[in-house]
Amino acid sequence: MIARSPHYRDFLIESTLVPVPLHPTKERERGYNQSEVIAQFLAQQAMNCEVENLLRRIEFTKTQTQLNREE
């Protein structure tokens, strides 16, 4: 996507990406944080783009895959 959209890379120049954290329990279970992996990859594609973990997840919630439409 980035290779086909040079303007997307320009958009990321000198930006800060903030991945959404997982609860520590979920991250231990999964072994990684998908949003952090994506942010790190995107940051490598643009000049002066960085990733900062500025958020903290403190509440453990059920996975969305087990919620119904209303929830």
Side-chain angles (χ1 to χ4, degrees), residues 23 26 57 59-68 71:
H23 188 274
K26 285 187 181 179
R57 170 128 7 218
E59 188 173 326
F60 186 85
T61 56
K62 292 192 311 187
T63 178
Q64 291 182 12
T65 60
Q66 297 184 6
L67 299 177
N68 64 37
E71 294 172 314

Side-chain angles (χ1 to χ4, degrees), residues 8-17 42-43 45-51:
Y8 191 74
R9 186 176 301 167
D10 293 343
F11 178 76
L12 293 173
I13 292 174
E14 297 183 3
S15 65
T16 300
L17 303 176
L42 291 174
Q45 307 305 308
M47 292 176 33
N48 298 323
C49 182
E50 59 184 25
V51 177

Side-chain angles (χ1 to χ4, degrees), residues 1-65:
M1 180 176 85
I2 292 172
R4 293 182 185 168
S5 305
H7 299 292
Y8 191 74
R9 186 176 301 167
D10 293 343
F11 178 76
L12 293 173
I13 292 174
E14 297 183 3
S15 65
T16 300
L17 303 176
V18 181
V20 176
L22 292 173
H23 188 274
T25 302
K26 285 187 181 179
E27 189 164 353
R28 267 193 306 277
E29 290 172 359
R30 186 179 291 175
Y32 68 99
N33 179 349
Q34 182 178 4
S35 67
E36 189 169 4
V37 171
I38 293 169
Q40 291 289 350
F41 174 79
L42 291 174
Q44 292 172 2
Q45 307 305 308
M47 292 176 33
N48 298 323
C49 182
E50 59 184 25
V51 177
E52 289 197 32
N53 293 311
L54 301 174
L55 303 175
R56 185 174 58 145
R57 170 128 7 218
I58 57 173
E59 188 173 326
F60 186 85
T61 56
K62 292 192 311 187
T63 178
Q64 291 182 12
T65 60

